[in-house]
């Protein structure tokens, strides 16, 4: 993509790929792994499309060598993956399962051997079920069990891993998992998302403290999925509505993380009771090295006084992905500008950006996913635009390399640059794989 300017071509701009344990590993019974809340959630009738589960994922627990070879073929500078807590501590808080470290050692050491930086997320939604049985994120103890688990990982892998992520998209865990119930543990409640949100942020703060003490040279951050819808019109009331709509996915997290306090007006309006104890907010506000931003799409909202929330989505003209998400590359520039206008973010990495498409155009050998290529191309240009505006974006990770388990959508929604041909599990590269390889190479 000759349009890329020097700053994205510079050797210190990081090109990567992201994934998560429950979505790609499979082998959910191997080597002493304990059950996670997603294993049990998948068994609930109607919760996951076609009754799919992560028992197979992308079979990466078995085929990790092939996957690292493909990352090397891409020329990726980094690979962001998550460690499954239930592999390391099967019941979340008790005995360590040392066999659970093996896969991650093999993966990390092979990545390093191929000059690919491992970026390790400690939590990507797969809470040990045994902790859920004791209240999960509604129980403050879980934050401390998370810190113990994080300490274990820092001690085990700290000599090899320099970049750590505490939590991936805590908003999904809190609101999709405890508010509307479409994610594990499947709770439907008004107050629970706020209790979970505080304990997730406390867990984050405790893990950052452990990291600073054990790995002073490492870098640590958190990955958020901000939603900053644009105003449907230039009218002030719609602009206000867009600001109001943004808080749940930005201020509710960034105010504590960067300012050590929750957004008062929003919490009051939501009737949120946050179980804050003395010292919590100082822990949560621990300085970060970077903020990971997962960006997929942008919506538009207008003022809607009759609605409880005070705003509503409006119809839009943009082309949509298989997830019915609007394709709005400039939305990526807007969300980064919004974040930097409101909080002192040291550095950004776009830790997820990608799209699900039907991937039906194939000649039997290669899948011609031109719509995904166009999506990626346009969003990389948006990253370039953000850099030109002086926003400190230091890297871009595609979501994702392998088609995998897309949570409540099961395997039906495919985000990968590589398809998996069943039943043998053969990896079939799509055109976007070759596009991203060329992009990283600087063409
Ligand atoms: C997320 C998660 C990923 C999803 C991806 C596509 O951002 O929701 O981190 O696990 O699979 O975003 O929805």
């Amino acid at each position: 993509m000759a349009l890329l300017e020097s700053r994205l071509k510079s050797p210190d701009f990081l090109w990567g790929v992201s994934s998560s344990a429950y979505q790609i590993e499979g082998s959910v019974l191997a080597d002493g792994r304990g059950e996670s809340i997603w294993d049990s959630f998948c068994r609930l009738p109607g919760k996951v499309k076609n009754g799919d589960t992560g028992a197979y994922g992308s079979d990466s627990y078995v085929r990790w060598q092939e996957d690292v070879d493909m990352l090397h073929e891409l020329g990726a500078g980094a690979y962001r993956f998550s460690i499954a807590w239930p592999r390391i501590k099967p019941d979340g808080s008790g005995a360590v399962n040392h066999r659970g470290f093996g896969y991650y050692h093999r993966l990390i050491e092979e990545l390093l051997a191929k000059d690919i930086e491992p970026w390790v997320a400690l939590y990507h939604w797969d809470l040990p079920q045994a902790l859920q049985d004791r209240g999960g994120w509604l129980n403050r103890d879980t934050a401390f069990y998370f810190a113990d688990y994080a300490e274990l990982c820092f001690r085990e892998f700290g000599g090899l891993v320099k970049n750590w992520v505490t939590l991936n998209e805590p908003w999904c865990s809190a609101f999709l998992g405890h508010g509307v119930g479409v994610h594990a543990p499947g709770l439907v409640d008004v107050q629970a998302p706020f209790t979970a949100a505080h304990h997730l942020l406390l867990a984050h703060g405790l893990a950052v403290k452990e990291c600073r003490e054990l790995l002073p040279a490492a870098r640590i951050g958190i990955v958020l999925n901000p939603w900053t819808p644009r105003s449907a019109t230039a009218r002030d009331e719609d602009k206000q509505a867009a600001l109001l709509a943004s808080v749940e996915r930005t201020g509710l997290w960034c105010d504590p993380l960067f300012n050590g306090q929750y957004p008062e007006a929003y919490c009051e309006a939501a009737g949120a009771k946050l179980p804050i104890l003395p010292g919590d907010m100082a822990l949560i506000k621990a300085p970060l090295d970077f903020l990971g931003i997962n960006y997929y799409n942008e919506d538009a909202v207008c003022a809607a006084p009759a609605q409880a929330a005070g705003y509503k989505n409006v119809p839009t003209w943009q082309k949509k992905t298989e997830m019915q998400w609007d394709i709005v590359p400039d939305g990526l520039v807007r969300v980064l500008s919004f974040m930097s206008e409101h909080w002192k973010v040291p550095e950004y990495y776009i830790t997820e950006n990608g799209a699900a498409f039907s991937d039906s155009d194939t000649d039997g050998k290669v899948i011609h996913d031109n719509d995904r290529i166009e999506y990626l191309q346009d969003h990389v240009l948006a990253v370039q635009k953000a850099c030109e505006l002086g926003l400190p974006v230091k890297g871009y990770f595609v979501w994702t390399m392998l088609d995998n388990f897309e949570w409540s959508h099961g395997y039906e929604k495919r985000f990968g640059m590589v398809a998996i041909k069943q039943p043998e599990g053969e990896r079939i590269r799509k055109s976007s794989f070759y596009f991203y390889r060329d992009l990283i190479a600087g063409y």
Side-chain angles (χ1 to χ4, degrees):
M1 204 168 72
L3 297 180
L4 276 192
E5 295 217 337
S6 57
R7 70 188 79 209
L8 293 197
K9 285 189 177 177
S10 87
D12 47 16
F13 189 85
L14 198 58
W15 296 101
V17 168
S18 279
S19 71
S20 84
Y22 191 71
Q23 292 178 273
I24 70 161
E25 288 180 1
S27 300
V28 292
L29 300 175
D31 298 326
R33 176 184 178 278
E35 179 159 271
S36 78
I37 55 176
W38 269 93
D39 297 294
S40 44
F41 186 71
C42 288
R43 288 197 294 268
L44 300 176
K47 286 294 184 184
V48 179
K49 200 78 190 291
N50 308 320
D52 288 341
T53 78
Y56 183 84
S58 311
D59 200 25
S60 287
Y61 192 82
V62 172
R63 305 174 77 129
W64 58 274
Q65 176 73 64
E66 193 179 343
D67 295 346
V68 176
D69 291 346
M70 282 196 294
L71 289 165
H72 185 245
E73 188 183 336
L74 273 178
Y79 177 47
R80 174 184 164 242
F81 60 94
S82 71
I83 292 179
W85 187 348
R87 290 196 188 280
I88 308 303
K89 286 206 162 189
D91 65 2
S93 61
V96 178
N97 171 42
H98 291 281
R99 284 185 297 159
F101 287 122
Y103 162 72
Y104 300 109
H105 267 298
R106 291 190 289 278
L107 178 61
I108 290 167
E109 284 155 27
E110 184 65 11
L111 288 167
L112 291 171
K114 289 194 159 62
D115 273 340
I116 300 168
E117 265 181 61
W119 279 52
V120 177
L122 292 163
Y123 187 68
H124 202 125
W125 307 353
D126 46 357
L127 185 74
Q129 180 59 44
L131 291 184
Q132 187 60 39
D133 297 344
R134 297 154 64 182
W137 289 112
L138 300 183
N139 178 351
R140 182 180 171 87
D141 294 347
T142 302
F144 294 87
Y145 295 138
F146 177 78
D148 294 344
Y149 152 66
E151 181 193 348
L152 258 180
C153 293
F154 293 146
R155 289 184 186 286
E156 185 73 23
F157 301 111
L160 300 166
V161 176
K162 301 286 173 270
N163 292 282
W164 295 87
V165 166
T166 54
L167 308 174
N168 174 79
E169 299 192 3
W171 177 85
C172 288
S173 302
F175 284 79
L176 299 185
H178 296 79
V180 292
V182 296
H183 275 197
L187 301 182
V188 179
D189 190 86
V190 175
Q191 170 55 36
F194 296 101
T195 305
H198 182 67
H199 293 154
L200 282 155
L201 282 170
L202 179 59
H204 159 82
L206 289 165
V208 171
K209 183 169 179 291
E210 288 291 346
C211 184
R212 296 306 187 208
E213 285 164 8
L214 291 170
L215 306 174
R219 298 186 340 137
I220 192 161
I222 190 170
V223 169
L224 302 179
N225 56 324
W227 184 61
T228 55
R230 63 184 181 282
S231 169
T233 71
R235 283 196 302 268
D236 284 347
E237 64 264 31
D238 290 339
K239 287 180 179 172
Q240 278 310 315
L243 268 178
L244 181 68
S246 302
V247 180
E248 184 177 292
R249 298 265 289 268
T250 56
L252 179 60
W253 308 94
C254 295
D255 281 356
L257 287 167
F258 294 103
N259 303 336
Q261 61 186 42
Y262 285 100
E264 240 172 82
Y266 165 80
C267 291
E268 210 171 296
K273 294 179 205 56
L274 289 143
I276 303 166
L277 292 185
D280 287 1
M281 300 317 287
L283 272 167
I284 292 169
K285 191 190 168 192
L288 298 176
D289 297 301
F290 61 84
L291 183 60
I293 297 291
N294 291 353
Y295 177 81
Y296 290 91
N297 61 304
E298 180 191 72
D299 297 316
V301 298
C302 69
Q307 304 274 331
Y311 62 86
K312 66 178 181 181
N313 281 46
V314 296
T316 54
W317 59 268
Q318 281 82 356
K319 187 179 165 201
K320 294 165 175 43
T321 70
E322 281 290 293
M323 298 292 276
Q324 294 315 305
W325 295 346
D326 285 8
I327 300 175
V328 191
D330 277 352
L332 174 50
V333 183
R334 283 191 281 271
V335 70
L336 293 171
S337 304
F338 180 93
M339 302 295 280
S340 285
E341 274 157 32
H342 290 80
W343 300 283
K344 281 195 177 37
V345 181
E347 280 186 357
Y348 295 102
Y349 287 85
I350 307 304
T351 34
E352 290 180 24
N353 177 247
F357 290 108
S358 66
D359 291 349
S360 49
D361 176 12
T362 175
D363 57 14
K365 288 192 285 299
V366 176
I367 293 167
H368 304 292
D369 57 338
N370 297 323
D371 39 16
R372 184 172 290 107
I373 288 172
E374 190 183 324
Y375 177 98
L376 296 177
Q377 199 157 25
D378 291 346
H379 285 81
V380 166
L381 288 173
V383 169
Q384 187 162 268
K385 208 185 275 184
C387 293
E388 283 157 10
L389 290 172
L391 292 159
V393 185
K394 303 296 180 190
Y396 172 87
F397 292 70
V398 170
W399 181 272
T400 185
M401 188 165 75
L402 292 161
D403 285 345
N404 62 44
F405 176 77
E406 178 53 34
W407 309 113
S408 58
H409 299 278
Y411 294 96
E412 201 171 77
K413 302 299 183 200
R414 294 184 293 276
F415 281 81
M417 295 182 285
V418 177
I420 298 181
K421 188 160 166 274
Q422 296 304 5
E424 57 285 351
E426 186 191 347
R427 270 85 166 119
I428 311 278
R429 291 160 182 72
K430 307 175 190 176
S431 301
S432 56
F433 177 91
Y434 300 117
F435 160 78
Y436 195 43
R437 180 201 62 196
D438 283 4
L439 178 80
I440 295 173
Y443 300 119

